């Protein structure tokens, strides 16, 4: 009995299912007669009842559907005719991809559907090319799948390399940080040592220099007194040991001719003075006005032409009279002024016989004016006034300080280099090189693309640039910014902050990443002013498709 009931129930269920399928198929078969309607929308086109526009604003008799008159504002009543400018015609394209086109393209003489269904009025004959298109697409997808498979294998290797590099960098970073602590401690120790020996060096050098300053001061004081004595003797024409106002007025050895009042003022208000008063009180003022006309040493080649000591006429070698100065108002046609103590006739005779062996007047004047200003320079040329070398003990202290400075500088440089290396490692570790470090091998590389005008360069995680093909400066299109892909974050790169355009924004570039078996920039465009778009194929962008070669949806085809 139970078996009988079960069998009857099973038969009843089968009958119900059969009836449902029959009614559904009948509905579909009837509805499928509505041209240009997709299978998913067929339930809205039921011939057994009035048709309601898909926007819900109007209901019309079903026989008004595809009657070549547009009733619905959304064009849904005319899917199979060009009556509505906003209507949609569905190409079934059996054997290939379904496709939606604007209903205005129906019967326009152009074949838009591969099955030819959009040109049904017979004005043109559209062959069914869906099978051929399917074969071409399938072959292309197989090739793309094979490339993706190869790229995925490379990507896995990229990921392995990237992860190994990241671990190596982390380990190296830790080692460098430990080394840096040790190096900094060594630097501080060497700094203390350097400062200690530098203090010893400074003390020794200061002692040497101070002793030399005292010695030099004595030498200069002796020379200054000797110069004062020579000047006093030259000005004291009558050699009575006293310098008078008249002798100042008569002399040619000062920087100008002085009258009585000026001469007296030069002597401190007195009519005359002895050497001690002259040196202690007046010499500091007089020596600025006294012309030092000491003869220069002749050049080496001229010295050979000079007469020897035996040939030179005897002169007062102890205190030779200085040559007279030449006043700026001196005229070349006038006679030279007399030298005190010399006989005028003898001067003229000597001038006639031997020529005037004194230096030219302009050189005398120049030397006189230059004497005070370059005294330090002349002192530096005087071996007696050059500071002597340091003694051996001081030299040893200087050498020790030099060595300490070198050791400190070398250690400090090494420490700073380590700091820079740590900073670079930290910067690299902060870069997002992919979910599994798959983009790591691209870091540090650059890829080029050339079009008709420019050479483009993409350096992942660094910069993008543009350069004229014929040569010229490189223009920055931006530096690495961030990943901006959606929904796959790692499908697009953003480079920003490039060189500013003329009266425009700073250049920037976005890089779309595609799966490929090799790394290659395949296209560059400028969709907006100063905003560039690059297409870049790389194995790092490949995704595991599990061998699926099914066709993706078109999301409404061309609409």
């Amino acid at each position: 009995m139970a078996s009988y009931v079960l069998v009857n129930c099973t038969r009843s269920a089968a009958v119900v299912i059969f009836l449902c399928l029959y009614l559904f198929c009948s509905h579909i078969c009837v509805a499928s007669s509505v041209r240009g309607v997709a299978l998913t929308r067929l339930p809205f086109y039921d011939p057994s009842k009035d048709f309601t526009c898909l926007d819900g604003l109007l209901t019309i008799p079903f026989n008004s559907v595809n009657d070549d008159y547009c009733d619905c504002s959304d064009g849904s009543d005319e899917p199979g005719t060009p009556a509505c400018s906003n209507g949609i015609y569905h190409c079934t394209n059996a054997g290939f991809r379904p496709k939606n086109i604007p209903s205005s393209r129906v019967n326009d003489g152009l074949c838009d559907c591969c099955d030819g269904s959009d040109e049904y009025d017979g004005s043109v004959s559209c062959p069914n090319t869906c099978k051929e298109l399917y074969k071409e697409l399938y072959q292309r997808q197989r090739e793309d799948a094979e490339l993706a498979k190869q790229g995925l294998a490379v990507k896995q290797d990229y990921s392995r390399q990237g992860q190994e590099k990241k671990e190596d960098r982390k380990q190296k970073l830790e080692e460098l940080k430990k080394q840096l602590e040790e190096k900094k401690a060594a630097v501080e120790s060497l700094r203390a040592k350097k400062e200690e020996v530098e203090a010893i060096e400074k003390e020794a050098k200061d002692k040497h220099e101070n002793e030399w300053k005292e010695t030099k001061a004595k030498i200069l004081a002796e020379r200054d007194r000797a110069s004062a004595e020579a000047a006093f003797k030259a000005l004291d024409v009558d050699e009575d040991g006293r310098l008078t106002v008249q002798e100042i007025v008569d002399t040619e050895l000062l920087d100008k001719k002085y009258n009585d009042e000026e001469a007296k003022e030069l002597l401190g208000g007195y009519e005359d003075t002895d050497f001690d008063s002259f040196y202690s009180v007046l010499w500091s003022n007089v020596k600025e006005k006294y012309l030092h006309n000491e003869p220069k040493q002749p050049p080496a080649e001229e010295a050979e032409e000079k007469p020897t000591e035996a040939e030179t006429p005897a002169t007062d070698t102890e205190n030779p009279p200085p040559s007279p100065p030449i006043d700026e108002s001196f005229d070349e046609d006038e006679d030279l002024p007399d030298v005190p103590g010399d006989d005028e006739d003898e001067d003229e005779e000597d001038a006639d016989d031997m020529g005037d062996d004194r230096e030219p007047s302009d050189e005398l004047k120049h030397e006189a004016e230059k004497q005070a200003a370059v005294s330090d320079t002349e002192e530096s040329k005087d071996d007696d006034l050059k500071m002597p070398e340091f003694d051996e003990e001081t030299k040893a202290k200087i050498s020790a300080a030099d060595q300490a400075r070198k050791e400190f500088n070398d250690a400090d440089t090494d420490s700073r280099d380590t700091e820079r290396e740590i900073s670079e490692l930290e910067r690299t570790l902060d870069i997002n090189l992919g979910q599994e470090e798959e983009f790591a091998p691209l870091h540090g590389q650059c890829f080029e693309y050339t079009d008709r005008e420019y050479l483009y360069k993409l350096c992942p995680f660094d910069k993008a640039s543009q350069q004229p093909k014929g040569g010229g400066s490189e223009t920055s299109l931006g530096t690495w910014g961030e990943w901006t892909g959606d929904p796959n974050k790692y499908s697009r790169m953003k480079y920003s902050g490039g060189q500013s355009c003329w009266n425009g924004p700073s250049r920037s570039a976005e890089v779309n990443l595609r799966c490929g078996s090799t790394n290659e920039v395949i296209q560059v465009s400028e969709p907006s002013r100063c905003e560039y778009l690059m297409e870049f194929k790389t194995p790092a962008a490949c995704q595991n498709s599990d061998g699926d070669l099914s066709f993706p949806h078109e999301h409404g085809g061309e609409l």
Side-chain angles (χ1 to χ4, degrees):
M1 183 67 180
S3 299
Y4 176 78
V5 173
L6 179 62
V7 170
N8 285 336
C9 289
T10 303
R11 288 177 179 176
S12 300
V15 171
V16 171
I17 293 173
F18 174 77
L19 290 174
C20 290
L21 288 175
Y22 174 79
L23 293 173
F24 177 77
C25 289
S26 299
H27 175 78
I28 294 299
C29 290
V30 173
S32 63
S33 62
V34 181
R35 188 186 299 275
V37 177
L39 182 63
T40 55
R41 292 189 174 186
L42 280 178
F44 298 107
Y45 294 83
D46 185 355
S48 64
K49 55 184 180 180
D50 293 338
F51 174 75
T52 300
C53 301
L54 297 184
D55 59 8
L57 299 180
L58 181 65
T59 298
I60 59 176
F62 192 83
N63 58 10
S64 295
V65 174
N66 282 341
D67 65 348
D68 206 20
Y69 182 83
C70 190
D71 298 291
C72 298
S73 59
D74 62 356
S76 56
D77 65 312
E78 299 296 321
T81 75
C84 296
S85 60
N86 58 343
I88 296 174
Y89 180 86
H90 180 76
C91 304
T92 303
N93 291 344
F96 192 57
R97 290 176 172 173
K99 181 180 181 181
N100 291 333
I101 63 173
S103 59
S104 58
R105 296 185 185 179
V106 174
N107 292 327
D108 63 350
L110 298 175
C111 301
D112 295 291
C113 303
C114 67
D115 60 4
S117 60
D118 59 310
E119 300 297 322
Y120 58 83
D121 65 354
S123 59
V124 295
S125 177
C126 293
N128 190 322
T129 59
C130 291
K131 289 184 178 180
E132 287 76 8
L133 291 176
Y134 170 79
K135 290 178 181 179
E136 291 176 7
L137 179 61
Y138 183 77
Q139 182 61 30
R140 188 163 63 251
Q141 285 190 336
R142 289 197 58 167
E143 293 172 357
D144 290 344
E146 182 60 30
L147 289 176
K149 183 178 179 181
Q150 296 173 11
L152 191 61
V154 176
K155 176 184 178 179
Q156 292 171 349
D157 186 52
Y158 278 6
S159 295
R160 179 185 56 78
Q161 293 180 36
Q163 290 169 5
E164 288 177 356
K165 284 183 179 180
K166 187 170 186 178
E167 288 303 315
D168 290 345
R169 289 190 181 106
K170 286 181 177 179
Q171 292 179 8
K172 187 173 183 180
L173 182 61
E174 293 302 317
E175 293 173 1
L176 287 174
K177 286 182 176 180
K178 292 179 181 177
Q179 292 176 14
L180 182 60
E181 291 180 3
E182 296 172 357
K183 290 178 179 180
K184 284 186 173 181
V187 167
E188 292 307 313
S189 175
L190 290 171
R191 187 196 305 276
K193 178 182 176 182
K194 177 180 76 76
E195 291 174 352
E196 180 181 351
V197 295
E198 282 180 338
I200 297 173
E201 173 196 42
K202 183 177 185 303
E203 182 181 0
K205 289 173 74 173
D206 288 348
K207 179 182 177 183
H208 179 89
E209 291 170 359
N210 290 334
E211 289 175 351
W212 166 242
K213 285 179 182 179
E214 294 177 2
T215 303
K216 181 178 176 181
K218 292 178 181 179
I219 294 173
L220 291 175
E222 291 172 0
R223 291 189 176 186
D224 189 56
R225 184 177 181 86
S227 296
E229 289 176 351
F232 188 85
K233 188 173 182 180
L235 294 171
D236 183 16
V237 178
D238 58 7
E239 300 181 357
D240 64 350
R242 298 193 71 81
L243 184 59
T244 66
V245 168
Q246 190 59 45
E247 286 173 325
I248 295 295
V249 171
D250 293 341
T251 187
E252 297 288 343
L253 299 178
L254 298 177
D255 59 347
K256 68 175 186 176
K257 294 292 290 181
Y258 287 80
N259 57 35
D260 291 347
E261 291 298 323
E262 293 172 332
K264 187 174 182 179
E265 182 180 354
L266 192 61
L267 293 181
Y270 296 97
E271 293 293 336
D272 60 5
T273 183
D274 60 9
F275 173 73
D276 290 336
S277 297
F278 173 80
Y279 177 64
S280 61
V281 179
L282 306 177
W283 172 238
S284 60
N285 183 36
V286 172
K287 69 180 177 181
E288 296 178 359
K289 300 174 173 55
Y290 181 71
L291 302 179
H292 297 263
N293 297 325
E294 298 176 1
K296 294 182 178 179
Q297 291 292 335
E301 61 271 12
E302 293 182 8
E304 297 176 359
E305 300 176 4
K306 294 288 183 179
T308 62
E309 184 174 301
E311 297 171 343
T312 304
T315 59
D316 186 358
T317 57
E318 293 182 1
N319 293 295
S323 301
I326 303 302
D327 191 74
E328 292 183 357
S329 60
F330 171 74
D331 190 293
E332 293 182 358
D333 296 332
E334 295 178 5
D335 294 334
L336 291 173
D338 295 338
V339 177
D342 286 352
D343 184 79
E344 183 177 354
D345 295 335
E346 289 180 359
D347 284 348
E348 292 177 355
E349 184 178 348
D350 290 342
D352 293 335
D353 296 341
M354 301 177 59
D356 191 353
D357 61 354
R358 291 173 295 182
E359 295 184 21
S361 59
D362 55 344
E363 291 188 16
L364 289 176
K365 182 66 176 175
H366 176 70
E367 290 298 324
E369 294 174 342
K370 180 178 162 185
Q371 181 67 27
V374 298
S375 60
D376 290 339
T377 303
E378 291 182 353
E379 287 176 6
S380 66
K381 295 179 181 177
D382 192 331
D383 291 339
D384 292 342
L385 295 177
K386 289 182 180 178
M387 185 174 70
E389 290 186 358
F390 296 109
D391 57 35
E392 293 304 318
E393 183 180 358
T394 303
K395 287 181 179 178
K397 293 176 180 178
I398 294 173
S399 177
D402 288 341
Q403 181 63 26
R405 279 188 286 269
K406 182 180 184 304
E407 291 175 357
F408 169 78
N409 290 335
D410 290 345
D412 188 55
T413 299
D414 186 35
S415 176
R416 293 179 185 277
D417 288 343
T418 301
E419 285 181 331
R420 281 191 289 271
E421 192 172 0
I422 288 174
S423 178
E424 180 61 24
L425 272 174
E426 289 177 337
R427 188 190 69 81
T428 301
L429 285 170
D430 286 340
I431 297 175
N432 186 343
L433 298 175
Q435 191 170 4
E436 298 178 349
E437 299 296 309
E438 63 270 22
F439 291 94
L442 302 183
H443 186 216
Q445 295 194 58
C446 292
F447 307 94
E448 296 181 349
Y449 175 83
T450 304
D451 63 10
R452 291 179 298 178
E453 298 182 60
Y454 296 101
L455 168 66
Y456 293 92
K457 185 182 293 184
L458 172 64
C459 303
F461 310 104
D462 185 9
K463 63 180 182 179
S465 63
Q466 174 194 64
Q467 186 177 16
K469 283 176 63 175
S473 60
E474 190 174 80
T475 300
S476 170
L477 303 184
T479 55
W480 164 249
E482 58 183 341
W483 295 102
T484 58
D486 184 28
N488 177 13
K489 178 178 181 179
Y490 301 105
S491 63
R492 175 171 291 201
M493 292 175 159
K494 178 70 175 180
Y495 293 77
S496 58
Q499 187 172 329
S500 296
C501 287
W502 177 257
N503 288 333
S506 296
R507 289 176 172 84
S508 62
E510 288 192 334
V511 182
N512 286 330
L513 278 67
R514 298 183 184 179
C515 174
S517 58
T518 58
N519 298 306
E520 180 185 8
V521 180
I522 60 174
Q523 187 178 356
V524 179
S525 60
E526 188 179 1
S528 300
R529 184 168 180 255
C530 305
E531 295 179 357
Y532 297 81
L533 181 62
M534 295 184 173
E535 302 290 334
F536 182 58
K537 278 189 174 182
T538 174
C542 293
Q543 302 293 323
N544 191 352
S545 61
D546 297 324
D548 183 15
L549 295 180
S550 61
F551 302 134
H553 295 292
E554 291 264 330
H555 299 291
E558 296 182 10
L559 294 181

